[in-house]
Amino acid sequence: MSKADQIVASNSRVSRGKQGFLGQRGRIALLALTTLLMLFVFFTQPDVRATLATWTSLISG
């Protein structure tokens, strides 16, 4: 095996674990933050708040 083949083989092993821009923890963190932002925006809308208030008053009696 030539020196170039050894370099290619070792580089492919090292880079296999890290694909793309973010790792596993980064993707989970980005997904969690995006979900929290969407929930915040959704639940701060006046129509949604009024609907939730109506539903909770129906449930609580």
Side-chain angles (χ1 to χ4, degrees):
M1 183 184 280
S2 69
K3 186 68 173 174
D5 292 335
Q6 290 176 352
I7 292 172
V8 169
S10 66
N11 283 345
S12 65
R13 267 184 277 150
V14 170
S15 64
R16 193 181 319 145
K18 212 181 200 183
Q19 293 180 359
F21 180 69
L22 293 174
Q24 179 75 16
R25 291 175 66 191
R27 274 184 252 141
I28 291 172
L30 184 62
L31 178 65
L33 288 172
T34 305
T35 303
L36 288 173
L37 178 64
M38 294 300 290
L39 287 173
F40 175 76
V41 169
F42 181 73
F43 283 114
T44 53
Q45 299 300 313
D47 295 342
V48 175
R49 292 177 64 108
T51 304
L52 286 176
T54 305
W55 286 355
T56 54
S57 67
L58 290 174
I59 292 170
S60 63

